[in-house]
Amino acid sequence: MISQVFILSSKGDHLIYKDFRGEAGKDAVNKFYEMVTALTGGQPPVVMKHKELHFVHIRQGGLYWVATTKADASPFTIIEFLNRLTALVKDYCGCLLEKSVQMNFALIYELLDEVVDFGYIQTTSTDILKNFIQTEAVSSKPFSLFDLSNVGLFGADTQQNKVAPSAAATRPIVSSQGEQGSKNEIFVDVIERMSVVIGANGVLMKADIEGEIRVKCYMPSCSEMRIGLNEEFSIGKSQLSGYGAAVRVDECSFHQAVRLDEFDTYRILKVCPSQGEQTVMQYQLCDDLPTAPPFRLFPSIERDSGGRYRTLFIHLPLLSLFSPSLFSSLSQELSSPDQSAELQPKNKAVHWEIPRFPGGAQLSALFKLEVSGLSAASLQEVGPVSLSFELPKYTCTGLQIRFLRLSPIQPGPSQRWVRYVTHSDSYTIRI
Amino acid sequence: MPYLGDEHTVRELRRALSNPNVQADHLRYRNTIHRVIRVMSQGQDVSGLYSEMVKACATVDIVQKKLVYVFLCSYASLNPELSLLVINTLRKDCSDHNPMVRSLALRNMCNLRLPGLSQYVQQPLTVGLKDKAACVRRVAVLGWAKIHTLQPNTEIDVAVVNELYGLLRDPDPVVMVNCLRALEEILQEEGGVAINKPIAHHLLNRLKLCDVWGQSEVLAVLQRYRPRGEDELFDILSLLDPALLSHHAPVMAATLRLFLSLCSTLPAVCMSALERARGPLLAAAGSTSRELRYAALCHIQLLLRSEPGLMGEHYKRFFCGYAEPPYIKQNKMQVLVELVNDDNVAMVLDELRGYCTDVNTETSQTAINAIGSIGRSYTDRCLAILTGLLGLKQEHITSAVLQTLRDLVWVCPQCGDAVCSALEGWEDNLQDSQGRGALLWLLGVYGDRVTGAPYLLEDCIDGVRSEVSAEVKTELLTATLRLFLSRPAETQDMMGRLLVYCIEEEVDMCVRDQALLYYRLLHCGIEEVRQVLQGGRRSDPSLGPLIGRPPEPISQWASSFNTLEPLTLGASTVGNSDHATPKPSTLTPNTLTSNAEAMTPTPGDPHLPDCSSGALSLSVSPALTPEEFERLWLQLEKGACLEVCVACPVPRCSPEGLQVALQLVNIQTLAFTPPNTHPWRVYLYTHTSHISTKTPHTLILAELLHTGGEGEKEEEEEGEEEEEGEGEEEGEKEGEKEGEEEGEKEGEGEKEGEGDKEGVEEGDGEREKEKGLLVVMRQHPGDQTALRGFLSVLTTVLHTLSTHTA
């Protein structure tokens, strides 16, 4: 059971405080902030104890979401609850920012009131909650140049208008007035996170993919949705896949509400999505990637110890392998107009930012570092290259959504979006 | 607004709330209330607006109602009289036709937390239990639990309890789970809700209807149920089996815990349950939420204690991501160490090698330590990596490598050659005292095989004046003496200089003592020195099999599975492996040698401190005056108090010797009786703190008592008469003990320069009728682990003193 729930900003401002059981005083908030800021880097902060009170917290959106408990509760439950709470707040307020939490505090109090009673979690399902939540979300729309980029000359439709902007799914699920409310949208996202280690010799040492199909539904009522996956989708290692380009995962689990009666034969998931965001399916694949990893790097390091300065040349040609349709080789020095690179002395790292990287292209960078006391051993110290990227319209496993059908057909215009994205959880290339 | 201070804000809000124009305008009124709540959640005190808010409560606007209730519940305890006014509105709302209004009113009625109001609340609650809307029943059921916790001593209403048991069959699953929760709280003294066979089966059958939160709660309650026979047990298990694979971590963990408790007598079933839960656990360990990752990793570590091979083939899942926070990286490395086998050792070491150059120094130290632990089974590969790391010439890496090598060499003496060749031609100047200590230890032990050892030591000795760490100085003394044994010609001169400095000029008592000890030891002849310093210089090869620890039975940790304990435990082990934290108690092994003639444990053994003190650190500051000691001793008489009889004779050294020895482990002796008195007493105190956690210091007061012959009750006090008098009452109880008290004997190597006269005389040698010592400990605030830690440190000292002065 949970004694208190509170939300703090990263600077320690109290945003939300709710005491469910009256067991612990309000000073617990300050105590928590004191303890969490006193931690050194290596200490695990997730569970902390002060006298009889346990603090369990997560960090999301730059905020501390804290639950306190006196009983020896299940850590999984509390952490999952806090995660779920952040997801709910995100659903209702649109996004998880200090500002949106501040502006919607009444809504969050109302949510907490319905979600937890006397420290016991009652329900976190948006289907039930939507009957109880009355406050409307206040969404903050900061002026952004990105909004303008979608508007064509003289307001004409641009090509991009046919693609849902990436911010489309970050709005509150309930909004009664305005043109937004009339939009009956449903987003189905296939999200994959890669963690890859490539050895210095180019050998793939580890490749893990954790994927999920996430549905975000803005429709007030949606009876049934059928999601068709690739027909050649197979689970587990035992199934022999023949010669076709089979889409294989090692393990796969589904949301409780998913009905799988047509899954075995037709690979169709049937689900009645409730409002808000939910994960319909999770899957994992280890080691046996169907395709080569999307990026390849051919590093070379040279040492120039002549002259007055000792210089380390690091040459990083980076090759994207994900769609080899158009191939253009382009080698550029450090600074090109849209790329940027900087040395971060704190992390002892060179940060190279590439805003756009077309498939099949090759980029390269040459970094010159002047190092005092350069020795042969220093070369060993040049640590791995880590890539963090977001690859839209691409899945490593090859999982595709064949179709997305809503039945019965929704009255009025409804929009269905299917989006694919691959994130780098950790993409490391040894040098 | 918040900058203007509380009073101004409150005044302005009150004006707005009581403004009739605002009250008339529905939206403006609501906005004003909004502002009140905002100010409240920013932490300002707005309780002064209570009466205005009570008025605002009577409205049909549900949003406004909810806001007002948030306010009222926060400040009700400050205004019990005004709250009576609210009750009327609330009771009226309880009969509203809208179920949402009914449940809202009922919930907040109980949330006011005013014991005086419970008479008004009971009637609506009873009605609420029979309400046709499930949301009202949910609230009503928990309402009874709230009332009970407000007045825990009141008699339990049997009718209500029966009603609640009946509601377990409610069609709404949340009502059912809430009934369980309420009954657990109300019947807490009777051990919670009674789970008999029909209830258990009912709960199991309805499990699928509950959401994940309800499921984990029901599963936790079901742990108390004991099936009648094997058939029933296996029926339950097969029913629960799919839940082990749930991708909701709470459900999976609760199910696994239930499995482990149901099958505590069937280890084979437990093992297969662990194997089934492996997939979901691994998935949780790779979850997007890093807090969940951490929780899963801590639990995986628990599992590995019993089943080391469980995750073997999935070792790649525990490779660190570059963006992961250090605490997760460190946890993953600890898991990796456990998973190493012949097939994956090359990959794991390659990966760990990559972490050694991590930007975060703690992470890189953990990685180096991890390689060191793997080195116990795969020595050659690890040594190659570790010595290679020395080439990087990075301060923190070198220091961590040296410490790891020292530990490794102690366990695996066969890798001495490799270490010696690594030390050959050493020229670095380390800043870190832990690393320097390790280097000195290695130089002392392997001085005969490292050509440059005397020169390295000479540098240290030349710089001893600027040395701050006492630990390094004692290490330096020992190393120099050891080197003198193997290479006397080169070392003699500098050893003389070092001893002179340490005896004449050194201010730190324990360094000076050690130097004095060595000085006298040298007087006894080279053979004696050799015996003391090289007695157990290299470890016993038979220690080998002890390294791999045997798998623990599952029952060892099953009770802490899915609790917060493994997560906090993980915190302390990380802190423990962190060599950067100062560990004052590591002085123990070195300083104990001051009374040793033939010590079995090697001086400077890096492993001894860990077993004697765990993650506990003792400290003598802040100092306690005798008056304070007395006051606390009396005050704590009723509180945390522990009496333990230690099977340990009275130490045979002078009281001052004992004082010094205890001081070295940071236990302060405040008063003691002179030797040969009965009862013999010592009063001690120390402050303990756990190195890793941020628990506040605790103060331990202790009395050592040895009651000898009855005849000699009177004792000469040493000055602190109050304490002695105080202790007498304690002493009376042990009056029945008789024993031959013998005078204490001092070995030749003992220090006598303390200016103490009574300690020097030789006593008669018989000590056959030894009695145990009684240790009375009082503590503030209570902390059992600290007490145990303190006791183990204390007994170690006492044992060493009494066995080795013989």
PDB file of all heavy atoms in Angstrom, chain B residues 634-645:
ATOM      1  N   LEU B 634      21.694   5.611  31.502  1.00  0.00           N
ATOM      2  CA  LEU B 634      20.500   5.483  32.327  1.00  0.00           C
ATOM      3  C   LEU B 634      19.245   5.583  31.474  1.00  0.00           C
ATOM      4  O   LEU B 634      18.292   4.830  31.633  1.00  0.00           O
ATOM      5  CB  LEU B 634      20.486   6.594  33.378  1.00  0.00           C
ATOM      6  CG  LEU B 634      21.479   6.410  34.512  1.00  0.00           C
ATOM      7  CD1 LEU B 634      21.501   7.630  35.397  1.00  0.00           C
ATOM      8  CD2 LEU B 634      21.130   5.175  35.314  1.00  0.00           C
ATOM      9  N   GLN B 635      19.304   6.513  30.565  1.00  0.00           N
ATOM     10  CA  GLN B 635      18.138   6.788  29.749  1.00  0.00           C
ATOM     11  C   GLN B 635      17.777   5.602  28.862  1.00  0.00           C
ATOM     12  O   GLN B 635      16.619   5.298  28.635  1.00  0.00           O
ATOM     13  CB  GLN B 635      18.476   7.987  28.862  1.00  0.00           C
ATOM     14  CG  GLN B 635      17.301   8.665  28.228  1.00  0.00           C
ATOM     15  CD  GLN B 635      17.821   9.792  27.355  1.00  0.00           C
ATOM     16  OE1 GLN B 635      18.820  10.424  27.684  1.00  0.00           O
ATOM     17  NE2 GLN B 635      17.176  10.039  26.254  1.00  0.00           N
ATOM     18  N   LEU B 636      18.771   4.913  28.403  1.00  0.00           N
ATOM     19  CA  LEU B 636      18.541   3.826  27.450  1.00  0.00           C
ATOM     20  C   LEU B 636      18.309   2.504  28.148  1.00  0.00           C
ATOM     21  O   LEU B 636      18.188   1.477  27.512  1.00  0.00           O
ATOM     22  CB  LEU B 636      19.733   3.696  26.498  1.00  0.00           C
ATOM     23  CG  LEU B 636      19.974   4.902  25.612  1.00  0.00           C
ATOM     24  CD1 LEU B 636      21.262   4.735  24.851  1.00  0.00           C
ATOM     25  CD2 LEU B 636      18.814   5.082  24.649  1.00  0.00           C
ATOM     26  N   GLU B 637      18.259   2.555  29.462  1.00  0.00           N
ATOM     27  CA  GLU B 637      18.150   1.304  30.189  1.00  0.00           C
ATOM     28  C   GLU B 637      16.938   0.505  29.745  1.00  0.00           C
ATOM     29  O   GLU B 637      16.968  -0.707  29.629  1.00  0.00           O
ATOM     30  CB  GLU B 637      18.059   1.596  31.675  1.00  0.00           C
ATOM     31  CG  GLU B 637      18.327   0.389  32.525  1.00  0.00           C
ATOM     32  CD  GLU B 637      18.846   0.799  33.879  1.00  0.00           C
ATOM     33  OE1 GLU B 637      18.689   1.972  34.250  1.00  0.00           O
ATOM     34  OE2 GLU B 637      19.395  -0.050  34.573  1.00  0.00           O
ATOM     35  N   LYS B 638      15.867   1.269  29.468  1.00  0.00           N
ATOM     36  CA  LYS B 638      14.646   0.561  29.081  1.00  0.00           C
ATOM     37  C   LYS B 638      14.597   0.312  27.583  1.00  0.00           C
ATOM     38  O   LYS B 638      13.822  -0.500  27.107  1.00  0.00           O
ATOM     39  CB  LYS B 638      13.429   1.388  29.489  1.00  0.00           C
ATOM     40  CG  LYS B 638      13.298   1.483  30.979  1.00  0.00           C
ATOM     41  CD  LYS B 638      12.452   2.688  31.339  1.00  0.00           C
ATOM     42  CE  LYS B 638      12.747   3.205  32.710  1.00  0.00           C
ATOM     43  NZ  LYS B 638      13.965   4.035  32.755  1.00  0.00           N
ATOM     44  N   GLY B 639      15.363   1.041  26.847  1.00  0.00           N
ATOM     45  CA  GLY B 639      15.242   0.967  25.388  1.00  0.00           C
ATOM     46  C   GLY B 639      16.027  -0.173  24.777  1.00  0.00           C
ATOM     47  O   GLY B 639      16.053  -1.285  25.297  1.00  0.00           O
ATOM     48  N   ALA B 640      16.673   0.138  23.677  1.00  0.00           N
ATOM     49  CA  ALA B 640      17.416  -0.879  22.957  1.00  0.00           C
ATOM     50  C   ALA B 640      18.566  -1.380  23.816  1.00  0.00           C
ATOM     51  O   ALA B 640      19.512  -0.663  24.075  1.00  0.00           O
ATOM     52  CB  ALA B 640      17.955  -0.299  21.655  1.00  0.00           C
ATOM     53  N   CYS B 641      18.461  -2.568  24.272  1.00  0.00           N
ATOM     54  CA  CYS B 641      19.457  -3.094  25.191  1.00  0.00           C
ATOM     55  C   CYS B 641      19.685  -4.550  24.837  1.00  0.00           C
ATOM     56  O   CYS B 641      18.752  -5.280  24.545  1.00  0.00           O
ATOM     57  CB  CYS B 641      18.937  -2.959  26.611  1.00  0.00           C
ATOM     58  SG  CYS B 641      20.054  -3.585  27.830  1.00  0.00           S
ATOM     59  N   LEU B 642      20.893  -4.946  24.801  1.00  0.00           N
ATOM     60  CA  LEU B 642      21.188  -6.321  24.407  1.00  0.00           C
ATOM     61  C   LEU B 642      22.267  -6.845  25.332  1.00  0.00           C
ATOM     62  O   LEU B 642      23.265  -6.170  25.574  1.00  0.00           O
ATOM     63  CB  LEU B 642      21.662  -6.329  22.948  1.00  0.00           C
ATOM     64  CG  LEU B 642      21.908  -7.695  22.331  1.00  0.00           C
ATOM     65  CD1 LEU B 642      20.590  -8.415  22.141  1.00  0.00           C
ATOM     66  CD2 LEU B 642      22.606  -7.539  21.002  1.00  0.00           C
ATOM     67  N   GLU B 643      22.048  -7.997  25.867  1.00  0.00           N
ATOM     68  CA  GLU B 643      23.083  -8.593  26.695  1.00  0.00           C
ATOM     69  C   GLU B 643      23.555  -9.873  26.028  1.00  0.00           C
ATOM     70  O   GLU B 643      22.766 -10.732  25.685  1.00  0.00           O
ATOM     71  CB  GLU B 643      22.530  -8.924  28.085  1.00  0.00           C
ATOM     72  CG  GLU B 643      22.210  -7.684  28.876  1.00  0.00           C
ATOM     73  CD  GLU B 643      21.884  -8.004  30.324  1.00  0.00           C
ATOM     74  OE1 GLU B 643      22.407  -9.012  30.832  1.00  0.00           O
ATOM     75  OE2 GLU B 643      21.111  -7.249  30.916  1.00  0.00           O
ATOM     76  N   VAL B 644      24.819  -9.972  25.845  1.00  0.00           N
ATOM     77  CA  VAL B 644      25.360 -11.140  25.172  1.00  0.00           C
ATOM     78  C   VAL B 644      26.528 -11.653  25.992  1.00  0.00           C
ATOM     79  O   VAL B 644      27.324 -10.869  26.503  1.00  0.00           O
ATOM     80  CB  VAL B 644      25.854 -10.783  23.753  1.00  0.00           C
ATOM     81  CG1 VAL B 644      26.416 -11.998  23.080  1.00  0.00           C
ATOM     82  CG2 VAL B 644      24.747 -10.194  22.937  1.00  0.00           C
ATOM     83  N   CYS B 645      26.600 -12.954  26.103  1.00  0.00           N
ATOM     84  CA  CYS B 645      27.742 -13.527  26.788  1.00  0.00           C
ATOM     85  C   CYS B 645      28.738 -13.983  25.731  1.00  0.00           C
ATOM     86  O   CYS B 645      28.402 -14.761  24.847  1.00  0.00           O
ATOM     87  CB  CYS B 645      27.288 -14.710  27.637  1.00  0.00           C
ATOM     88  SG  CYS B 645      28.161 -14.762  29.177  1.00  0.00           S
TER      89      CYS B 645
END
